[in-house]
Amino acid sequence: MTLDRLRAGEPTRLPRFDKARDDRAPPDAWPEACAPCDLVIFEGWCVGAVPQAEGALAEPVNDLERIEDPDARWRRAVRNRSPICGGPQGKGSASWTKPPSRASSSITSG
């Protein structure tokens, strides 16, 4: 797992989401974080989100759903992509910072 590898100080490929494909970018396009990392910023949407119960999809919640998705086809497709329902993992990405060099982190008093 990505965060486990970073925590262990191992060089790690960082997953990226490709909005044009509406899916993760291919692994060969992921940048590699050089270990060790001082800071990891994890950003993602739908990470940890719980899908709605099937019954909650029966009635549209707004005009867009009422007009564009009257049979709940889209709502069910999105629900079924959820990691909790067996779909792909939540979509997110991570960034990292390298440790500061000793020269740039030294403090002198005057």
Side-chain angles (χ1 to χ4, degrees):
M1 184 170 223
T2 303
L3 294 177
D4 292 333
R5 289 179 56 87
L6 289 171
R7 189 176 294 118
E10 300 171 10
T12 306
R13 289 214 171 264
L14 302 174
R16 287 287 189 246
F17 184 74
D18 183 341
K19 290 182 181 182
R21 295 170 29 142
D22 193 32
D23 205 349
R24 284 185 174 186
D28 61 352
W30 299 352
E32 186 169 296
C34 299
C37 295
D38 281 342
L39 174 69
V40 175
I41 300 171
F42 179 79
E43 184 278 332
W45 57 277
C46 294
V47 175
V50 179
Q52 290 181 289
E54 181 65 27
L57 303 176
E59 294 296 321
V61 297
N62 56 33
D63 286 339
L64 178 66
E65 288 184 359
R66 198 172 290 101
I67 294 165
E68 299 293 333
D69 191 30
D71 60 356
R73 184 179 305 175
W74 173 249
R75 286 172 273 162
R76 283 189 179 85
V78 170
R79 179 188 185 279
N80 292 337
R81 284 188 67 175
S82 163
I84 296 169
C85 295
Q89 295 180 357
K91 298 169 181 177
S93 59
S95 298
W96 73 96
T97 61
K98 293 181 182 177
S101 70
R102 296 206 184 276
S104 66
S105 63
S106 62
I107 300 174
T108 58
S109 59

